[in-house]
Amino acid sequence: AQSVAQPEDQVNVAEGNPLTVKCTYSVSGNPYLFWYVQYPNRGLQFLLKYITGDNLVKGSYGFEAEFNKSQTSFHLKKPSALVSDSALYFCAVRDSIDQTGANNLFFGTGTRLTVIP
Amino acid sequence: NAGVTQTPKFQVLKTGQSMTLQCAQDMNHEYMSWYRQDPGMGLRLIHYSVGAGITDQGEVPNGYNVSRSTTEDFPLRLLSAAPSQTSVYFCASSWLAGSGELFFGEGSRLTVL
């Protein structure tokens, strides 16, 4: 079974400071990992993904994420937070050995990031 | 390029009524799916499809029906609405090949009284 945990419902960070949004996962095979961002009253927007290769993945809007296989984590990071980064962030996983052949993603419960001016 | 289009954006139903949420994509994606988003529960998969004529159940399929007669459209039907189906519904699509990151619609907010 696949699952994702986002241990923090809320993360507050001062503008200009680095930010981290945490995510851990569980899959049977190798993970395909994703981060999405949701602004108020909007759909989810893709930020970045890890499939294979370099453990540090760079994505949109200056975000990056680090894949750590031993800790089964995929934390989202940004060196310098902007007020406009305030949004709801979702981590998602798909198992590489998903027998359905579909692209079903399993999502965490989301972390609300607030960047304080 | 419209991407994934959902209608209606808002709907209020009475218990027992039926309705259809529409979803259309213009990216020729084979895979389409419906999720519901509830506070504190993230997104949960309702139904999905890997191509025209093929549908399957996700995590929370009860009370919902889907069909996929064309590649572009994937409507979600509520057969007899219940207050527990009050939620925000998202349609998503992707190509099957590759990593399959999803493209999402803007959502449909449904309230069942």
Side-chain angles (χ1 to χ4, degrees):
Chain A
Q2 307 158 70
S3 65
V4 174
Q6 292 181 244
E8 300 158 318
D9 292 334
Q10 174 83 40
V11 170
N12 297 325
V13 63
E15 186 176 22
N17 282 3
L19 69 87
T20 298
V21 182
K22 296 179 180 178
C23 172
T24 59
Y25 66 89
S26 175
V27 295
S28 299
N30 293 318
Y32 295 169
L33 292 156
F34 303 82
W35 276 102
Y36 285 83
V37 60
Q38 184 182 32
Y39 298 101
N41 301 312
R42 302 297 300 276
L44 278 71
Q45 299 177 28
F46 170 77
L47 273 181
L48 51 79
K49 66 184 177 186
Y50 170 84
I51 305 303
T52 187
D54 194 348
N55 289 344
L56 184 63
V57 177
K58 294 188 183 297
S60 306
Y61 312 119
F63 284 94
E64 58 189 27
E66 186 168 11
F67 171 66
N68 187 317
K69 187 172 184 177
S70 63
Q71 297 185 4
T72 61
S73 67
F74 189 57
H75 301 330
L76 181 70
K77 300 181 180 183
K78 188 174 182 181
S80 179
L82 300 173
V83 173
S84 57
D85 293 331
S86 298
L88 187 58
Y89 291 81
F90 288 98
C91 182
V93 68
R94 180 161 73 92
D95 196 330
S96 64
I97 60 172
D98 183 354
Q99 297 298 321
T100 67
N103 290 348
N104 297 331
L105 295 189
F106 289 83
F107 286 83
T109 52
T111 298
R112 186 163 302 282
L113 172 68
T114 300
V115 181
I116 303 163
Chain B
N1 189 348
V4 180
T5 303
Q6 291 183 233
T7 56
K9 293 191 184 306
F10 301 95
Q11 183 71 50
V12 179
L13 289 179
K14 295 181 180 179
T15 297
Q17 288 184 320
S18 63
M19 77 156 299
T20 299
L21 299 177
Q22 301 290 345
C23 176
Q25 53 91 10
D26 60 1
M27 297 172 281
N28 204 29
H29 287 165
E30 304 99 330
Y31 173 87
M32 296 186 74
S33 57
W34 279 100
Y35 287 84
R36 60 176 289 174
Q37 182 181 20
D38 301 292
M41 303 189 74
L43 279 78
R44 293 180 291 168
L45 181 66
I46 304 171
H47 284 285
Y48 65 94
S49 168
V50 296
I54 306 169
T55 64
D56 208 341
Q57 297 181 351
E59 185 182 355
V60 287
N62 292 342
Y64 306 95
N65 200 2
V66 291
S67 59
R68 184 95 180 268
S69 56
T70 67
T71 300
E72 293 78 20
D73 300 299
F74 191 46
L76 178 72
R77 296 182 184 84
L78 280 71
L79 308 174
S80 178
S84 61
Q85 293 178 304
T86 294
S87 186
V88 181
Y89 292 85
F90 287 99
C91 181
S93 69
S94 75
W95 292 283
L96 279 177
S99 58
E101 62 261 32
L102 298 180
F103 293 77
F104 282 84
E106 295 286 287
S108 298
R109 183 175 295 275
L110 175 66
T111 301
V112 182
L113 302 175

